[in-house]
Amino acid sequence: MIVAPGATIGIVGGGQLGRMLAIAAAQLGYRSHILSPEASGPATEVAAAWTRGDYDDWESMRRFGEAVDVVTYEFENVDPHTVAGLAGFVPLRPSCLSLDVSRYRPNEKQCAERMGGATAPWRTVRDPAELAAAVDQLGTPAILKTCMFGYDGKGQARIDRREDADGAWQAIGAPSPQDANSAPAILEKRVDFLAEFSVILCRGADGAIVVWDTPENVHRGGILDTSTLPARPEVLAQASAAVELAKGIAEQLGHIGVLTCEFFATVDGPIFNEMAPRVHNSGHWTIEGAVTSQFENHIRAICGLPLGDAGLVVPKVRMKNLIGEDAARWREILSDPCAHLHLYGKGETRPGRKMGHVTWLG
């Protein structure tokens, strides 16, 4: 099914990813309609319409779906069961399967393992007693994470000694499991890695796949700080295996749109960390640094259009997030002729909040 230019694209989520998706959609002649529980957000200024409603509110979701021609989402922390209802009367791309796998950490670990990918040793834990047993099994150092709703280092706590386990459980605020088949937290053995990197690909409705060059990522305080291309040789040596795994995951899920998989480069090869069924922070550099950005190719894919070239336009690219007060340096950044500044229009500056990013070419 092709959704022709002039149609309206529904985007679940009104943050900066929704903003950049709406900008890319407008460039191709589409209108965007946002669904978000907030009264406004970064996507407000560039969208044709905005429905305010909670992500688990079926009535708001239904009205939103009836007003658009195709639906996508900018983040995975939404209820797949509510979103699934949309698929009965409007195309939903990527599908609920991608959403269901990526929003629950054990599911994405198992998905990668079924495809032959390596993951850090892990255990699901439902209460402090299970956590203590998992620490004994895996050893330390380890990281305790919520199974859902974690991002930018939130919902995570380090366990360097066995005695840290109770404090870590309290720190992440893990709730009781709501059903017997789920767990509120996952314990992962900490990986001794050489570098972090991501594989960003886009799979079209016809099954065609394009892959962007592999960025090397540096995180600070759990938040992505920089993405740099080309990555160091030790990363590039492992990129092809990681790309094949990511492609396999996309095929297995029947994914349509951008899919991002994050990896650790280790002495034993790439270790799969997590995935996102959407455009991703480590791909922001593609706006200026690639022939076709991740945002444009995502719009192309969900609308059934041919995918654009994902190749680099220059040999070297670097992207840096502007966190909190970093965005106040806009005048200094703009004085650099090689810098491309993106500010997200967020009203309140807070520590740890992504306010924008800057990309340097060359």
Side-chain angles (χ1 to χ4, degrees):
M1 173 186 173
I2 294 177
V3 180
T8 299
I9 296 172
I11 302 173
V12 179
Q16 62 265 20
L17 298 180
R19 179 187 182 97
M20 288 180 274
L21 281 170
I23 291 171
Q27 187 174 345
L28 294 176
Y30 295 94
R31 293 181 293 273
S32 293
H33 185 149
I34 307 296
L35 172 72
S36 175
E38 295 84 18
S40 63
T44 310
E45 300 159 356
V46 298
W50 184 286
T51 292
R52 186 177 185 182
D54 290 332
Y55 299 129
D56 59 356
D57 177 3
W58 169 242
E59 184 56 32
S60 295
M61 191 75 74
R62 181 189 61 77
R63 287 189 284 107
F64 163 74
E66 290 175 346
V68 303
D69 298 292
V70 63
V71 172
T72 192
Y73 40 88
E74 67 144 18
F75 76 129
E76 57 271 29
N77 289 332
V78 296
D79 184 353
H81 303 293
T82 305
V83 176
L86 291 172
F89 56 92
V90 65
L92 175 66
R93 295 174 172 172
S95 73
C96 281
L97 179 58
S98 295
L99 187 64
D100 199 34
V101 168
S102 62
R103 71 193 294 267
Y104 187 61
R105 291 187 191 276
N107 285 352
E108 60 185 9
K109 300 280 190 188
Q110 291 169 345
C111 180
E113 290 169 347
R114 282 195 300 269
M115 299 303 299
T119 66
W122 59 278
R123 299 287 188 278
T124 56
V125 291
R126 293 173 172 78
D127 53 45
E130 286 195 1
L131 173 59
V135 170
D136 286 342
Q137 292 170 358
L138 298 184
T140 57
I143 301 178
L144 181 67
K145 303 177 181 180
T146 54
C147 282
M148 298 170 62
F149 307 120
Y151 66 97
D152 288 346
K154 297 177 176 65
Q156 298 186 19
R158 292 176 51 153
I159 299 178
D160 293 319
R161 304 170 303 152
R162 190 183 189 283
E163 293 76 18
D164 298 335
D166 286 342
W169 185 265
Q170 297 299 322
I172 68 169
S176 298
Q178 296 186 357
D179 64 72
N181 296 318
S182 67
I186 181 173
L187 183 72
E188 300 176 11
K189 185 71 181 292
R190 212 158 80 219
V191 173
D192 184 14
F193 60 87
L194 306 171
E196 297 174 86
F197 67 96
S198 51
V199 171
I200 309 161
L201 62 80
C202 187
R203 183 174 182 270
D206 60 356
I209 294 178
V210 298
V211 184
W212 284 271
D213 281 47
T214 299
E216 182 175 341
N217 304 320
V218 174
H219 290 77
R220 300 193 188 284
I223 303 174
L224 180 65
D225 182 35
T226 60
S227 293
T228 304
L229 298 101
R232 288 177 292 167
E234 52 264 47
V235 171
L236 295 178
Q238 302 185 19
S240 59
V243 166
E244 289 308 307
L245 175 61
K247 283 182 175 180
I249 292 173
E251 295 284 0
Q252 183 184 55
L253 297 176
H255 189 84
I256 298 176
V258 170
L259 175 73
T260 306
C261 294
E262 296 183 77
F263 292 86
F264 299 113
T266 75
V267 294
D268 297 316
I271 300 292
F272 172 91
N273 182 31
E274 59 187 25
M275 60 177 276
R278 52 167 173 80
V279 291
H280 193 261
N281 195 174
S282 66
H284 288 357
W285 61 270
T286 63
I287 297 174
E288 291 85 20
V291 176
T292 311
S293 77
Q294 63 167 347
F295 301 99
E296 180 179 332
N297 260 341
H298 187 82
I299 297 299
R300 288 180 180 227
I302 66 172
C303 292
L305 307 181
L307 301 182
D309 185 355
L312 288 171
V313 297
V314 292
K316 295 182 179 181
V317 183
R318 182 171 181 264
M319 187 282 299
K320 180 175 175 58
N321 273 326
L322 300 175
I323 309 297
E325 292 296 336
D326 288 348
R329 297 173 43 236
W330 58 267
R331 191 182 300 274
E332 173 192 342
I333 292 167
L334 289 173
S335 68
D336 182 345
C338 294
H340 297 265
L341 177 65
H342 296 257
L343 296 177
Y344 303 149
K346 296 182 178 179
E348 182 184 358
T349 300
R350 297 194 300 267
R353 192 180 197 195
K354 295 174 181 174
M355 304 299 294
H357 73 269
V358 58
T359 301
W360 290 272
L361 301 184

